[in-house]
Amino acid sequence: MRLYRKYFAIHLKSEMQYRVSFFTTIIGQFLVSFSVFLGIHFMYQRFSNVKGYSYQDSLLCFSVVLLAFSMAEMFVRGFDSFAGMLANGEFDRILVRPRNEIAQVLCAKIALSRIGRIVQAVVTFAYVVATSKIQWNAANILTIVLMVFGGTVLFSAMFIIYAALCFFTTQSLEFMNVFTDGAREYGKYPFDIYGKRVLQICTFLVPYALVQYYPFLYLTGRSDNAALIFAPLAGLLFLLPAFGLWKIGVRHFKSTGS
């Protein structure tokens, strides 16, 4: 953790060398996610509900998934750009340093500009709190906290898997964006609107529904099963196959020779 704090300070200092560019990028990130919000807004201007879900319901899903994804992308960005580290020989240097390679990749890149998306998610969530009929008691607050935490861990695990596959392909696999950026996009609505098959995939294969849809049911009063509060903790279990694949990839790795 001490090493990560030092790297964080270095990245922050680096960004502050070009402050106008940094804050402009933050604004740009905010506007990109704001355009997604506008898409939801205009659709509900045309339709009163989507499969029985209200405007506030969709904004709740949107804000939680966007916040979780942005947190993961900010702090685990090193794995998202790992293919470049393999190609330029940077990973060779990482392996000869007396620190865990996962910690070094994690610290290699911190995308502070994602603050713009985080602000968008927080503002949207604040609107949901002010306008929805959800009673914000201790159980519901805990549910939201676990949804964001579990979602962040789950997206982080997907970035680790994305990086681990690069050991075998030597370059990034664009289809993995379906499970990262794609999940961020279709996570702006409850997952069951996409049909039974998609919900099953998002429950048993890549458990996005466990950090969004099922706790959402409890949060909005559609289910009184209190066990759904802890469903997002499944994101922690998804770290096991992610780290397992990473370890296999490291054993498979051969130096670039550069």
Side-chain angles (χ1 to χ4, degrees):
M1 186 58 70
R2 182 185 304 174
L3 177 64
Y4 189 83
R5 288 198 299 267
K6 290 183 177 180
Y7 268 95
F8 187 89
I10 291 171
H11 284 290
L12 180 60
K13 185 176 181 180
S14 175
E15 295 285 5
M16 289 299 100
Q17 298 302 309
Y18 304 94
R19 296 186 182 184
V20 174
S21 175
F22 175 60
F23 288 111
T24 302
T25 304
I26 289 177
I27 294 171
Q29 291 289 329
F30 178 88
L31 293 176
V32 168
S33 56
F34 185 69
S35 66
V36 179
F37 162 78
L38 289 178
I40 299 173
H41 176 75
F42 289 133
M43 190 187 71
Y44 276 96
Q45 290 289 310
R46 178 66 178 83
F47 303 101
S48 60
N49 67 83
V50 175
K51 201 175 179 179
Y53 296 114
S54 67
Y55 179 51
Q56 283 75 16
D57 291 336
S58 291
L59 288 185
L60 176 60
C61 293
F62 166 70
S63 60
V64 167
V65 172
L66 179 62
L67 180 56
F69 178 85
S70 301
M71 293 286 286
E73 196 176 33
M74 176 188 288
F75 296 110
V76 197
R77 183 67 175 176
F79 289 99
D80 192 30
S81 56
F82 183 70
M85 299 178 70
L86 286 179
N88 62 22
E90 175 64 22
F91 192 67
D92 296 69
R93 292 197 293 270
I94 285 177
L95 289 177
V96 299
R97 294 170 183 163
R99 291 286 183 177
N100 181 273
E101 74 277 359
I102 291 178
Q104 293 186 65
V105 174
L106 185 68
C107 296
K109 190 174 182 65
I110 301 175
L112 297 174
S113 62
R114 296 307 185 270
I115 292 172
R117 291 182 182 176
I118 292 174
V119 170
Q120 170 67 64
V122 171
V123 170
T124 304
F125 181 70
Y127 173 79
V128 173
V129 170
T131 59
S132 69
K133 298 179 181 179
I134 298 174
Q135 299 296 319
W136 293 103
N137 52 36
N140 287 342
I141 292 173
L142 176 62
T143 303
I144 281 291
V145 171
L146 291 180
M147 288 172 74
V148 174
F149 174 71
T152 302
V153 171
L154 180 55
F155 278 116
S156 298
M158 290 305 304
F159 284 130
I160 294 172
I161 292 174
Y162 180 87
L165 292 175
C166 294
F167 285 117
F168 306 97
T169 64
T170 67
Q171 55 184 313
S172 59
L173 298 174
E174 293 301 322
F175 84 88
M176 283 296 296
N177 290 329
V178 173
F179 300 103
T180 52
D181 296 87
R184 181 196 65 201
E185 290 301 314
Y186 55 72
K188 61 191 177 184
Y189 301 106
F191 282 112
D192 70 327
I193 74 166
Y194 302 106
K196 181 180 179 180
R197 295 303 180 191
V198 172
L199 182 59
Q200 289 174 337
I201 291 172
C202 291
T203 300
F204 301 106
L205 183 59
V206 185
Y208 291 118
L210 295 179
V211 302
Q212 187 244 53
Y213 174 67
Y214 294 108
F216 164 81
L217 294 180
Y218 177 83
L219 197 61
T220 56
R222 291 178 169 85
S223 173
D224 57 2
N225 184 0
L228 296 179
I229 296 175
F230 303 98
L233 295 179
L236 295 174
L237 297 177
F238 202 73
L239 283 173
L240 297 178
F243 283 129
L245 184 60
W246 172 266
K247 290 299 183 183
I248 293 172
V250 171
R251 290 197 295 268
H252 177 272
F253 174 71
K254 294 180 180 180
S255 173
T256 61
S258 58

